[in-house]
Amino acid sequence: MAAACVRSISKVGWSVLESPVVRRSGTGSYLVSGRMYGTGGPWLRPRLLSSLRAGGGRVLGCAFLLGGGLGLYQTVRCALQRSSLLAEEHRQVPGRDLKLVLYQYKTCPFCSKVRAFLDYHRLPYEVVEVNPVMRKEIKWSAYRKVPILMVDGDVQLNDSSVIISSLKTYLINKEKSVSEVVRCYPEMKSVNDSGKEVTEYNNKYWLMLSEDDNALVYPEKGMQKEEREWRQWADDWLVHLISPNVYRTTGEALASFDYIVREGKFGSFEGFFAKYVGAAAMFIISKRLKSRYNLQDDVRQDLYKAVDEWVAAIGKKKFMGGGDPNLADLAVFGVLRVMEGLQAFNDMMENTKVKHWYRRMERAMLNHEGQE
């Protein structure tokens, strides 16, 4: 808009200079007369006024041109300064230089946690939606679960909590690369009670920071421990309340799989099969999950209780992290978000105290408030 105004002023200046009145006037010499720079006298004011009357059009045109030129100079200079500042800001924000590729199922709560972290910190990333049946998109990986985050094409991060802790550590500790940071979260394989090999990661709820950085991130006593405990609670308890609630009845199971098929990567036959056969299977599995985790007959009550416990722990603060979301806020938000659009989510918002916190989290995500 400023540039447009400058162009308009310049056009006015040229039109004045090119007008017949200005072209006919042969004055202006008095303004540059040597006597004009003397001490002056009674003759000066009449001669000056006469000059301005005779050559006023040309003077006015010059003034417009001069003003337009100065305005254009200022506009260009400000634009260049702003561009330079934006470029400098982009260079100074760690993580913006990383090439991130997220392999995911969109409706997976663990994948949603990672997206919440990346979006909050405004870290650009590419999404590869994995076919949950064939999983050919991750056939190159020995680790066969999602999420998987590839960093710069050669560093592979597995497990949602490891991904989040590694990247957060990297964003704060600028002295180490991502490949160096991830070594702090060693992989540990074991065999569970069912005889199945499982993979776990040490330290996955910890940030690997110096004492000074740790004091900046967690200025109050107990903040670090509180964040770790609630992050683990989201993984070990809250996540397991999702399936029994979204597949609680046959109608809800069908609605859930309709959403999964619509948002996921399925072929036409796979989509039909997943919607009807998958919904029936998950309805049955959800009953087993209810038994495994000792849930009530009405699993909604367990969801309501868990969510209200979370809100009670936040207390009068805006977020668990205080004035800004911390990693526990992002984890819980990521898990709950996968129910959006389903009956379980609507019931949760109506029957718990989570609504205000959830809306604040939505605004924080939308504004990418973690980028600072």
Side-chain angles (χ1 to χ4, degrees):
M1 182 174 287
C5 291
V6 169
R7 287 195 297 270
S8 299
I9 292 172
S10 299
K11 287 178 180 178
V12 171
W14 280 113
S15 64
V16 171
L17 286 175
E18 293 298 321
S19 67
V21 174
V22 173
R23 284 201 299 268
R24 283 198 301 271
S25 63
T27 59
S29 58
Y30 294 119
L31 296 176
V32 293
S33 169
R35 287 192 287 181
M36 290 292 290
Y37 295 95
T39 57
W43 55 271
L44 178 60
R45 183 174 297 175
R47 293 291 295 273
L48 177 59
L49 292 173
S50 174
S51 299
L52 286 174
R53 290 191 189 101
R58 187 174 294 276
V59 172
L60 183 60
C62 289
F64 271 110
L65 283 175
L66 180 60
L70 289 173
L72 181 60
Y73 165 74
Q74 291 292 341
T75 300
V76 172
R77 190 179 73 166
C78 290
L80 290 174
Q81 287 177 342
R82 185 171 183 272
S83 177
S84 177
L85 287 172
L86 288 173
E88 183 65 24
E89 179 186 348
H90 190 275
R91 286 193 296 270
Q92 291 176 352
V93 176
R96 295 279 178 84
D97 56 334
L98 297 177
K99 182 181 179 182
L100 305 177
V101 181
L102 176 64
Y103 293 82
Q104 66 154 22
Y105 307 146
K106 185 173 181 179
T107 55
C108 163
F110 296 107
C111 299
S112 181
K113 281 171 50 187
V114 175
R115 291 199 310 275
F117 175 86
L118 296 174
D119 293 339
Y120 177 68
H121 289 89
R122 203 175 190 176
L123 298 177
Y125 61 99
E126 177 187 345
V127 171
V128 176
E129 194 68 22
V130 177
N131 183 302
V133 179
M134 303 302 294
R135 290 186 291 180
K136 61 182 180 181
E137 292 80 8
I138 55 172
K139 65 181 180 181
W140 47 268
S141 173
Y143 182 81
R144 301 295 290 166
K145 297 180 180 179
V146 290
I148 296 172
L149 186 74
M150 291 300 299
V151 182
D152 293 336
D154 57 359
V155 180
Q156 180 176 343
L157 303 181
N158 305 325
D159 187 277
S160 62
S161 293
V162 172
I163 292 170
I164 292 169
S165 294
S166 298
L167 288 181
K168 186 65 174 180
T169 298
Y170 171 78
L171 293 177
I172 298 169
N173 183 357
K174 305 171 183 64
E175 298 177 357
K176 292 184 178 181
S177 66
V178 175
S179 59
E180 291 173 319
V181 170
V182 76
R183 293 175 194 153
C184 299
Y185 306 96
E187 183 181 281
M188 185 174 62
K189 294 185 181 293
S190 62
V191 178
N192 62 17
D193 295 337
S194 304
K196 183 180 179 181
E197 184 179 81
V198 294
T199 302
E200 267 300 336
Y201 295 87
N202 288 333
N203 312 319
K204 66 181 183 179
Y205 299 111
W206 288 79
L207 302 185
M208 301 303 168
L209 304 175
S210 67
E211 188 173 336
D212 290 340
D213 285 336
N214 206 67
L216 288 173
V217 177
Y218 305 108
E220 297 179 17
K221 184 178 179 180
M223 288 182 69
Q224 185 179 32
K225 180 182 178 183
E226 182 180 56
E227 180 185 75
R228 289 200 313 268
E229 289 177 346
W230 284 103
R231 287 180 69 190
Q232 186 169 0
W233 173 84
D235 286 352
D236 293 348
W237 178 241
L238 186 61
V239 161
H240 299 299
L241 297 177
I242 303 301
S243 290
N245 273 278
V246 298
Y247 305 123
R248 183 180 62 156
T249 66
T250 54
E252 287 183 273
L254 277 171
S256 298
F257 263 88
D258 182 62
Y259 171 72
I260 290 170
V261 170
R262 193 169 60 249
E263 297 293 333
K265 188 175 182 179
F266 291 89
S268 55
F269 175 75
E270 289 174 341
F272 178 85
F273 183 85
K275 180 175 179 178
Y276 293 99
V277 178
M282 286 308 301
F283 173 73
I284 296 171
I285 291 173
S286 69
K287 303 306 178 186
R288 294 179 182 175
L289 292 173
K290 185 171 73 171
S291 175
R292 179 187 299 178
Y293 295 106
N294 297 314
L295 304 182
Q296 301 178 49
D297 288 336
D298 182 4
V299 291
R300 282 287 198 276
Q301 300 306 314
D302 293 290
L303 177 63
Y304 299 160
K305 181 181 178 182
V307 170
D308 278 335
E309 284 176 359
W310 163 253
V311 175
I314 295 173
K316 296 182 179 180
K317 298 178 293 184
K318 290 175 65 178
F319 304 101
M320 180 64 74
D324 300 297
N326 65 9
L327 298 183
D329 287 290
L330 295 173
V332 173
F333 176 78
V335 171
L336 296 179
R337 182 172 60 174
V338 299
M339 296 190 296
E340 282 191 15
L342 301 176
Q343 187 61 46
F345 181 83
N346 297 336
D347 290 346
M348 177 190 73
M349 295 294 272
E350 290 177 7
N351 294 282
T352 70
K353 300 176 181 179
V354 77
K355 182 182 293 185
H356 296 298
W357 169 84
Y358 194 89
R359 297 308 182 204
R360 286 194 292 270
M361 284 298 300
E362 286 182 318
R363 288 192 293 271
M365 303 297 296
L366 183 64
N367 297 327
H368 309 290
E369 292 179 6
Q371 65 182 314
E372 300 177 3

